[in-house]
Amino acid sequence: FFFFISRHLSSTSSSNHNHIHIMLFRLAVLLALCTNSVAFHHSFVHSFSRGCQPQMAQLATVTTGTNIDLTDSLTTHVEETFEGVLGKFQNLKISNNVYLEVSKNAANPLHTCETTMTIENGPTIRSKSSSPDMYGSVTDCASKAKRKLRKFKDRFRRGHHKDVPSFTFDDPDDSSPDDAYTDASPETPEVTKIKSFDLSRPIPLSEAVWALDYVDHDFYVYRDDKTNEINVVYKRNGGGVGVIQPE
């Protein structure tokens, strides 16, 4: 721009020519200073704000369901309810899978909310709640998860869960512990019995399910013949058999 003006000033007198060039030079310096100042200001404010504001928990809530219409209102309720729980954990990555289901019993339909929270390098926390109303089930399930997360936080502060990255817990009520969240056994529970199983021979899932009738507990550990992985079959409270497999 300035080069273009300078070329068209060649026809002016020498004194005017020099005077205009000096003014253009001063204008260029002033614009450069202003531009750098604005860029520095935005960069400084952005960096300062990022450094001062705590990073919230990296939330990843996925909602799925069976026999239910996942409306925008319901999905928003799920996200906001669990965000109110997980958002208190700052600088901690937590993935949250929420499963909603309505029973097929038309006479007494139960609305069930089940959440599975996986903490980065930490434990998996599961909670479940059923009621005649799905919104109430979601709220109650989140409340149960909050109690378990509070126990996890207390144990982390006492030096357990050492592989979990450092985080902060932002809760105004944290200074006055609630009895409902108090860990009744602050020390690591004592192992009172150890059982050993021969898992060298892989067996099919069907045989593992039959084995549930031959043991005195509600689960059976076995090596799957298709994957060669250690799996667990167990009797579900609501009936039927469940299988736990490694991811």
Side-chain angles (χ1 to χ4, degrees):
F1 172 77
F2 295 109
F3 177 74
F4 176 81
I5 295 179
S6 299
R7 292 189 57 186
H8 287 75
L9 292 176
S10 58
S11 60
T12 61
S13 63
S14 177
S15 60
N16 291 336
H17 181 82
N18 293 335
H19 179 69
I20 293 176
H21 268 286
I22 293 174
M23 292 183 62
L24 289 175
F25 175 76
R26 292 176 177 175
L27 179 60
V29 172
L30 180 61
L31 288 174
L33 290 174
C34 291
T35 302
N36 291 335
S37 176
V38 172
F40 173 78
H41 171 74
H42 285 291
S43 176
F44 176 78
V45 171
H46 180 68
S47 300
F48 181 79
S49 60
R50 289 192 61 183
C52 292
Q53 294 180 355
Q55 299 298 311
M56 303 301 290
Q58 300 179 36
L59 308 180
T61 297
V62 178
T63 305
T64 57
T66 301
N67 300 327
I68 187 172
D69 183 14
L70 296 177
T71 63
D72 292 341
S73 175
L74 179 58
T75 303
T76 300
H77 177 68
V78 171
E79 293 177 351
E80 292 180 349
T81 300
F82 282 97
E83 182 180 356
V85 175
L86 299 176
K88 300 181 185 299
F89 290 83
Q90 299 174 357
N91 306 312
L92 184 63
K93 183 178 181 181
I94 304 176
S95 64
N96 182 30
N97 292 308
V98 178
Y99 177 70
L100 309 178
E101 182 180 13
V102 178
S103 64
K104 295 182 179 180
N105 186 355
N108 185 26
L110 277 182
H111 298 247
T112 301
C113 174
E114 184 174 356
T115 177
T116 302
M117 301 177 178
T118 303
I119 301 173
E120 181 182 11
N121 295 335
T124 297
I125 295 176
R126 290 185 174 89
S127 299
K128 184 178 180 180
S129 180
S130 299
S131 73
D133 175 63
M134 182 58 76
Y135 285 81
S137 297
V138 170
T139 302
D140 186 60
C141 183
S143 179
K144 291 181 178 180
K146 180 180 180 180
R147 296 172 187 271
K148 296 177 181 179
L149 285 169
R150 193 70 173 265
K151 286 188 176 182
F152 156 75
K153 181 265 302 180
D154 291 340
R155 289 168 180 168
F156 178 82
R157 286 181 174 177
R158 288 196 293 267
H160 302 289
H161 306 299
K162 297 182 182 297
D163 292 335
V164 176
S166 179
F167 65 90
T168 56
F169 184 74
D170 183 17
D171 188 354
D173 299 331
D174 191 39
S175 58
S176 54
D178 190 291
D179 291 337
Y181 300 130
T182 302
D183 193 350
S185 56
E187 301 299 330
T188 303
E190 180 184 0
V191 178
T192 58
K193 189 174 183 179
I194 298 177
K195 289 187 176 182
S196 299
F197 298 92
D198 182 11
L199 301 176
S200 60
R201 182 178 69 89
I203 62 175
L205 173 61
S206 58
E207 185 174 338
V209 173
W210 288 120
L212 286 171
D213 294 331
Y214 311 142
V215 295
D216 294 330
H217 37 261
D218 296 334
F219 66 93
Y220 185 80
V221 183
Y222 73 101
R223 184 181 296 275
D224 187 75
D225 64 339
K226 294 182 179 179
T227 64
N228 204 40
E229 298 281 358
I230 303 299
N231 292 355
V232 179
V233 292
Y234 63 97
K235 296 179 181 179
R236 293 173 52 88
N237 293 333
V241 176
V243 182
I244 300 177
Q245 301 174 333
E247 292 184 343

